[in-house]
Amino acid sequence: MLVILITVITQGPRIPSELRGSVKGSLLIQPGLFQAIGVISFAFVCHHNSLLIYGSLKKPTMDRFARVTHFSTSVSMIACLAMAVAGFLTFGDKTKGNVLNNFPSDNIMVNIARL
């Protein structure tokens, strides 16, 4: 994910202006807002790993488990938010679901990030 974020930040300013969209208007009130909330709410579902994470702690206590899960979910949220903001500020209302699909197919760094 770090490679993708660095790619969007470094290659975004180099794209042609016809690929850029408008950043005007409200960032929150859009027709697809409720669909986005549904996608985001399922993006952080990690209950199937809970027992594995709890069992892998050196001293498994509920306090340590809470700390680990809160920290890891926060890091994941920050990384996703950074990617979303970088993609939207670069491509505006033309941002696709996969931000790498906004870049031309002949960009070497973007093609490496797609791997």
Side-chain angles (χ1 to χ4, degrees):
M1 180 167 222
L2 186 61
V3 172
I4 296 171
L5 184 60
I6 290 171
T7 301
V8 171
I9 292 172
T10 59
Q11 300 300 303
R14 299 176 182 189
I15 64 166
S17 60
E18 62 268 5
L19 295 178
R20 295 180 183 272
S22 172
V23 188
K24 298 175 185 174
S26 174
L27 295 178
L28 295 177
I29 309 301
Q30 297 290 331
L33 174 68
F34 294 108
Q35 289 176 332
I37 290 172
V39 170
I40 291 168
S41 66
F42 284 104
F44 294 107
V45 175
C46 53
H47 64 277
H48 56 278
N49 292 323
S50 297
L51 295 174
L52 180 65
I53 294 168
Y54 184 80
S56 67
L57 296 173
K58 288 183 181 178
K59 296 179 184 177
T61 64
M62 288 305 289
D63 186 46
R64 287 174 184 233
F65 177 69
R67 245 185 287 145
V68 167
T69 55
H70 287 117
F71 177 77
S72 60
T73 304
S74 297
V75 168
S76 177
M77 183 185 72
I78 290 168
C80 289
L81 186 61
M83 174 96 89
V85 169
F88 185 75
L89 291 178
T90 302
F91 298 108
D93 59 358
K94 291 185 179 179
T95 305
K96 296 180 182 175
N98 181 347
V99 72
L100 294 177
N101 289 339
N102 286 89
F103 289 97
S105 60
D106 61 348
N107 188 313
I108 295 172
M109 188 168 180
V110 174
N111 288 334
I112 290 171
R114 286 182 176 130
L115 296 175

